Amino acid sequence: MCGIVAATAGNNIVPVLIEGLKKLEYRGYDSAGLAVIAGNEIERTRAVGRVAELEAAAGQIAATTGIAHTRWATHGVPAERNAHPHVSGGIAVVHNGIIENYEALRSELTDQGYVFTSDTDTESIAHLIEATLQTNGNLFAAVRLACQRLIGAYAIAVIDQTQPDRVVVAREGSPLLLGLSDSGNYAASDASALLQVTRNMVYLENGDIAELTASGIRISRLDGTPVKRPVHVSELSADAVELGNYRHYMQKEIFEQPEALANTLEAVGGSKTIQPGIFGAGAAGMLAGIDSVLILACGTSAHSGYTARYWLEAIAGVPCNVEIASEYRYRTSVPNPRQLVVAISQSGETADTLAALRHAKSLGQENTLAICNVPESAIVRECALRFITRAGPEIGVASTKAFTTQLAALFLLTLVLAKVRQRLAPPQENCFLDQLRHLPVAVNKVLALEPAIEAWAERFADKQHALFLGRGRHYPIALEGALKLKEISYIHAEAYPAGELKHGPLALVDANMPVISVAPNDDLLDKLKSNLKEVQARGGELYVFADEDSQIPESDAVHILRLPEHYGELSPILHVIPLQLLSYHVALVKGTDVDKPRNLAKSVTVE
Ligand code: G6P
């Protein structure tokens, strides 16, 4: 939930650290700091707030070795004393993750005479390494030995003023990769931070420790065994993480959805049939043997799972459960070894989803599939099967293109499972594949509704609450619409299956409670229309996202926006887009920080 950058090179690395932190700000943005070795001494600068504050505070600092950090507070409030790096003697440390035994370490180190100046768990790592260095003068060895004492998740980077030409990094549970170049070597929480200097990336495994100098790297396991890790040439384009002509990453990512879907659907190319192999080697055998699906995910990814449940049961005839990962990991459930466990995650690093996946496997459920946007992530590596969505990097904290590409992937899973269960006749298969391939065009037409949605947004700016309604496979879309609105505009929003309205939420409806309804022209439309009448009868103001042919009359208190195409089973993918645009424009009117909403972070790598 924090971002790390480290560098050692033949030239000044401070601009690289700052630029890298800016790319990682999505991981946390309540304070930032850097430490460099200047004249054989650690020079540290920290600032509360965004990386821009740190950049201003860092002034003219120049050095060839340094570490930097952007923070999302877990232990200790956002304050300069809690910002990283933390120092002890001549060493400085930045850390992403949570050290579970920090209290025991803190009391042990306090007894040894170390004075703690922050409320963080990280400071105990700094003192522990310093103490280890006293008996073992080599930084690489000292970090390795200190890490053996840490319980929890971490990615760390460490510098020592007595060994000014090197950085030592280590990882267990939190992401960390190295970037290699002729002019220097680097480390960061993700590749986007290092594209400014190199495309050659080495992904560290859990339990790896690495030493970087300007001229080379060495990697070992925590027990000291040397290891080699392959160099990957990143395919990310530097443009993919640039804002371009857009005002916000969220806006850019909403408008990238046609391309993101087209890239993701390349898996089925121009083919008239779908093959299980798109989920990896061995998929045909595994998918033929499963009797149900269990989806594990958090946040927006869980909403894609809820949507898929409607598809999987209706089209493939497979029983499906969707569980919030943080609940599943701690409850006693009935394991089913024939169940397919699907972990859905944009980042592939979400701590709860990863732990839920491991929990499912520990119960003997080995049929696992990752649906993920980051190929090298922990969740992908720990699943037997994988489908990589090709949304490209998603920077805005509120997920958009990751969601629609997850839906596309889950629809492909539905088709494959329907096929292996002989529930998909060739003409129907061909028809679904054509519809999928047409999606980018259909999404473009929905995006063209932006001006009308912008006009609606003005009316929401002074509202405190909003209610979202949907039925059937569009109920999870209502959930996602409510989540988007609360995440970035801070308006309290709730979603209900429209049929539940009369069992409670109707009591809230009055002129101050806008009711947003997803109303495609499907077999539930007549039922939904009756629910909307219930709202009208209580003086509620309705905002309806209908289809062209939904036949809902407009009036003073019923505002209708019609989507250009009716899209059958795949309609949730189109109907979520106006809800994304609505929340974006409401947030703009309210003047909130759209890409970095308060208290949230993009990648939640802590519990
Ligand atoms: C955070 C993000 C959400 C995201 C959720 C799950 O809360 O702010 O946008 O949906 O984590 O993340 P994942 O990477 O597992 O999809």
Side-chain angles (χ1 to χ4, degrees):
M1 303 277 308
C2 303
I4 290 177
V5 192
T8 180
N11 47 358
N12 179 18
I13 47 74
V14 174
V16 177
L17 296 181
I18 298 279
E19 189 54 31
L21 286 188
K22 286 183 181 166
K23 294 287 187 269
L24 295 181
E25 242 186 336
Y26 72 89
R27 301 179 67 86
Y29 37 82
D30 58 42
S31 51
L34 62 82
V36 297
I37 303 175
N40 282 343
E41 279 194 6
I42 297 279
E43 183 172 351
R44 174 174 65 166
T45 309
R46 299 182 290 176
V48 171
R50 300 293 161 82
V51 173
E53 312 287 330
L54 175 70
E55 186 174 23
Q60 299 306 311
I61 297 176
T64 54
T65 297
I67 56 178
H69 188 267
T70 177
R71 177 169 188 251
W72 186 79
T74 55
H75 293 66
V77 295
E80 192 173 323
R81 72 173 194 288
N82 289 329
H84 300 213
H86 290 282
V87 296
S88 181
I91 66 133
V93 177
V94 290
H95 165 224
N96 169 29
I98 285 189
I99 303 303
E100 288 169 14
N101 59 335
Y102 84 100
E103 279 170 333
L105 291 171
R106 193 177 174 116
S107 88
E108 175 188 321
L109 290 156
T110 306
D111 289 348
Q112 288 176 31
Y114 286 97
V115 177
F116 283 75
T117 57
S118 78
D119 310 318
T120 65
D121 51 344
T122 306
E123 196 179 354
S124 48
I125 308 178
H127 294 313
L128 183 64
I129 294 172
E130 212 278 337
T132 317
L133 207 51
Q134 298 302 316
T135 50
N136 192 322
N138 176 308
L139 183 66
F140 189 62
V143 173
R144 189 168 64 72
L145 295 173
C147 285
Q148 290 175 0
R149 304 234 16 236
L150 301 179
I151 299 173
Y154 57 83
I156 57 170
V158 190
I159 51 174
D160 174 7
Q161 66 188 23
T162 67
Q163 298 166 67
D165 62 340
R166 64 201 57 213
V167 179
V168 175
V169 301
R171 113 161 246 215
E172 176 64 50
S174 302
L176 194 67
L177 53 81
L178 310 182
L180 315 184
S181 85
D182 291 341
S183 54
N185 290 307
Y186 308 85
S189 301
D190 87 31
S192 65
L194 300 183
L195 287 174
Q196 53 168 328
V197 280
T198 184
R199 293 189 167 280
N200 298 328
M201 310 289 175
V202 172
Y203 291 87
L204 295 181
E205 299 282 337
N206 283 333
D208 280 356
I209 169 164
E211 182 181 66
L212 288 65
T213 61
S215 56
I217 61 161
R218 64 169 161 143
I219 307 175
S220 86
R221 304 292 295 157
L222 279 191
D223 65 5
T225 316
V227 280
K228 290 219 176 304
R229 301 285 176 221
V231 178
H232 294 263
V233 179
S234 173
E235 287 175 11
L236 281 181
S237 79
D239 284 0
V241 286
E242 297 296 343
L243 203 45
N245 291 329
Y246 293 96
R247 273 179 83 177
H248 296 98
Y249 282 107
M250 182 181 180
Q251 184 192 26
K252 176 176 185 242
E253 287 155 9
I254 290 173
F255 280 87
E256 280 173 349
Q257 287 178 109
E259 194 188 344
L261 283 163
N263 289 342
T264 299
L265 290 166
E266 254 179 37
V268 283
S271 168
K272 287 191 180 326
T273 63
I274 185 163
Q275 302 302 336
I278 59 172
F279 293 97
M286 185 184 291
L287 296 181
I290 62 123
D291 67 359
S292 56
V293 172
L294 169 65
I295 294 177
L296 303 172
C298 303
T300 289
S301 296
H303 293 162
S304 72
Y306 291 138
T307 314
R309 180 171 183 231
Y310 288 88
W311 289 332
L312 285 163
E313 298 213 346
I315 301 171
V318 189
C320 175
N321 267 321
V322 185
E323 289 225 31
I324 295 293
S326 55
E327 286 296 311
Y328 177 75
R329 63 184 287 196
Y330 290 119
R331 83 179 178 87
T332 306
S333 54
V334 181
N336 172 4
R338 290 193 59 202
Q339 181 162 256
L340 176 69
V341 178
V342 182
I344 308 174
S345 174
Q346 185 283 128
S347 63
E349 302 288 346
T350 300
D352 282 321
T353 309
L354 184 57
L357 170 68
R358 288 178 180 159
H359 177 64
K361 285 167 73 174
S362 76
L363 297 175
Q365 303 172 118
E366 292 296 336
N367 301 320
T368 53
L369 163 67
I371 292 183
C372 189
N373 198 36
V374 181
E376 296 296 334
S377 61
I379 288 174
V380 171
R381 278 181 282 149
E382 296 192 23
C383 281
L385 303 180
R386 64 188 56 189
F387 185 95
I388 305 302
T389 50
R390 292 178 55 199
E394 193 180 65
I395 307 293
V397 165
S399 185
T400 52
K401 62 178 180 171
F403 178 69
T404 42
T405 53
Q406 283 167 354
L407 288 179
L410 288 159
F411 197 77
L412 293 177
L413 177 66
T414 304
L415 295 186
V416 166
L417 286 174
K419 196 166 169 179
V420 297
R421 297 163 82 86
Q422 271 92 46
R423 286 177 61 107
L424 191 65
Q428 202 188 3
E429 179 180 0
N430 198 6
C431 171
F432 276 138
L433 288 174
D434 279 346
Q435 279 188 2
L436 278 167
R437 281 190 283 264
H438 180 65
L439 260 179
V441 175
V443 169
N444 252 328
K445 290 190 197 163
V446 180
L447 288 170
L449 298 175
E450 190 185 27
I453 296 169
E454 208 174 333
W456 276 13
E458 299 281 342
R459 300 157 180 253
F460 283 76
D462 62 339
K463 299 287 188 279
Q464 305 293 320
H465 310 275
L467 205 54
F468 285 72
L469 300 178
R471 289 196 82 131
R473 56 186 174 252
H474 294 88
Y475 164 52
I477 297 309
L479 283 171
E480 176 60 8
L483 179 64
K484 289 283 88 81
L485 192 68
K486 62 190 147 197
E487 278 179 317
I488 60 168
S489 75
Y490 315 146
I491 292 175
H492 167 226
E494 284 193 68
Y496 274 90
E500 271 292 290
L501 196 59
K502 54 192 172 295
H503 298 295
L506 201 52
L508 298 171
V509 170
D510 63 14
N512 293 319
M513 169 76 95
V515 179
I516 299 115
S517 179
V518 187
N521 188 7
D522 60 16
D523 49 357
L524 291 169
L525 184 62
D526 286 338
K527 303 268 175 218
L528 182 71
K529 282 183 186 168
S530 312
N531 304 138
L532 300 186
K533 291 263 183 253
E534 292 162 12
V535 173
Q536 276 178 272
R538 273 81 187 175
E541 187 149 16
L542 275 164
Y543 294 84
V544 184
F545 291 98
D547 282 346
E548 193 54 55
D549 49 358
S550 281
Q551 312 282 343
I552 301 175
E554 198 148 8
S555 69
D556 281 353
V558 184
H559 313 283
I560 311 235
L561 226 148
R562 297 183 197 280
L563 271 64
E565 284 184 70
H566 173 59
Y567 225 76
E569 288 288 350
L570 287 162
S571 161
I573 301 182
L574 296 192
H575 268 272
V576 75
I577 287 163
L579 302 186
Q580 297 169 343
L581 285 168
L582 180 66
S583 61
Y584 174 69
H585 283 288
V586 174
L588 276 193
V589 177
K590 293 197 71 176
T592 60
D593 191 340
V594 173
D595 286 331
K596 300 185 184 78
R598 69 185 181 203
N599 305 340
L600 301 181
K602 181 79 187 156
S603 259
V604 186
T605 55
V606 294
E607 194 178 341

